[in-house]
Amino acid sequence: MSTKRVLVVEDVEMNRKLVRIVLTTKGYEIIEATHAEEALEILQTEVPDLILMDIALPGISGEELTRQIKADPRWCHVPIIALTAAAMKGDREQFLSAGCNDYISKPIDTHALAEIVDRYLLKEF
C-alpha cells in the first residue's frame, strides 16, 4: 500500500504543525499550503488523497477554494475536510454545500482529526 498524501491548506503555523505531527505519526505524507493560490499551484503537479481545508484563509476563502477544486475534473474526487472555528448553526450545511465532505471544528481535537482522516483514507472498497 502506498503512503496516503494529505494537503493541508492552513495559514496558521501552529495548526499546520499540530496536523503534521498527528498525521505523520499515523504514516501519512503531509503537503502544506498557507493560502489558496499556493494550494492551487500544488494541485497542478500533485493530487493528494485528501485535503484539510481551513475555511478562513487570507485572500480566497477556503469555501471558495473548495468550490474551485470540486468544479475541476482533475481534483473533484478528492475528499475535502473543512477545518474551521465556525461552529454556529448552519455552518456545517454551508461547508457541505460548498463541496466539503466533512468538517472538524477548531481548536482541533487530535483524536477526532485522526479518526476522520482514517475514515476517509483507509476505506476499503
Side-chain angles (χ1 to χ4, degrees):
M1 183 172 107
S2 64
T3 301
K4 300 285 188 175
R5 294 174 303 147
V6 178
L7 172 59
V8 180
V9 187
E10 167 65 65
D11 61 322
V12 176
E13 170 59 30
M14 184 166 307
N15 290 335
R16 286 194 316 275
K17 182 177 182 180
L18 178 64
V19 169
R20 186 182 328 116
I21 290 168
V22 170
L23 297 184
T24 56
T25 300
K26 295 194 62 71
Y28 297 116
E29 178 184 334
I30 305 303
I31 307 161
E32 297 179 26
T34 58
H35 52 81
E37 293 83 0
E38 186 177 14
L40 289 170
E41 286 175 26
I42 289 168
L43 288 170
Q44 297 302 316
T45 59
E46 300 189 51
V47 179
D49 298 292
L50 180 110
I51 299 171
L52 291 174
M53 178 74 70
D54 180 16
I55 296 299
L57 292 171
I60 299 171
S61 73
E63 191 173 333
E64 176 56 33
L65 178 57
T66 296
R67 285 190 180 93
Q68 290 179 29
I69 291 169
K70 290 298 187 172
D72 192 307
R74 296 173 290 176
W75 316 308
C76 63
H77 66 282
V78 178
I80 299 177
I81 310 300
L83 294 175
T84 180
M88 302 295 289
K89 184 176 179 165
D91 286 340
R92 181 178 193 280
E93 292 75 17
Q94 181 178 337
F95 306 142
L96 296 178
S97 71
C100 291
N101 299 82
D102 213 328
Y103 90 107
I104 299 170
S105 62
K106 293 179 184 176
I108 298 169
D109 175 329
T110 57
H111 296 291
L113 171 66
E115 181 181 298
I116 289 172
V117 170
D118 283 349
R119 186 177 335 134
Y120 281 91
L121 293 182
L122 301 179
K123 285 194 270 189
E124 297 291 326
F125 292 99

